[in-house]
Amino acid sequence: MYGKRVSRSGKPVSEAKMTSSALIEAKGWYAALMDAEFKGRGDREKAIRGRISDETGIPESYLYRLQYKTRGMKDVAGSAYRALMLAYDDLCLRNEVAAAQHRAARKELRSTHAPARKRSDKSVGMGEASN
């Protein structure tokens, strides 16, 4: 999108097809939050949207519009964009912390079992029968 109505090649672009990059980012963040918030088979989309709304402070109606009616939107509200960005960053940070804890636990587990993985001496174990 170059300017208001002209593409790179100089041809006019209809405004119906133009979308803001902020709108696309916000929609992606919201989709990731929806996926992360999903709790299983009995969880409904409206309940998930409600939990995200409570967490971010964005009205459910706006989240619904962001999910299903972006074709009619040209841009995203700044407050919604910022709230979704912060919630997504928090989600990523929690995921990285959990991964680091898992990695540390795995490393500790490997170090406690390290002596058990050592090879036995040649004199111990299966050898010739000395009868």
Side-chain angles (χ1 to χ4, degrees), residues 26-39 43-64 66-67 79-88 90-91 94:
K27 188 172 179 166
W29 292 332
Y30 177 59
L33 290 170
M34 287 282 285
D35 289 343
E37 189 65 34
F38 181 69
K39 301 215 183 286
D43 207 3
R44 299 288 178 246
E45 200 171 278
K46 183 168 175 42
I48 299 169
R49 191 170 30 255
R51 290 193 298 266
I52 293 174
S53 174
D54 292 342
E55 179 186 330
T56 60
I58 302 170
E60 281 186 58
S61 59
Y62 195 84
L63 293 174
Y64 180 85
L66 186 63
Q67 186 173 7
S79 59
Y81 179 84
R82 187 171 193 287
L84 287 170
M85 179 185 66
L86 292 175
Y88 180 75
D90 184 51
L91 172 71
R94 284 184 284 150

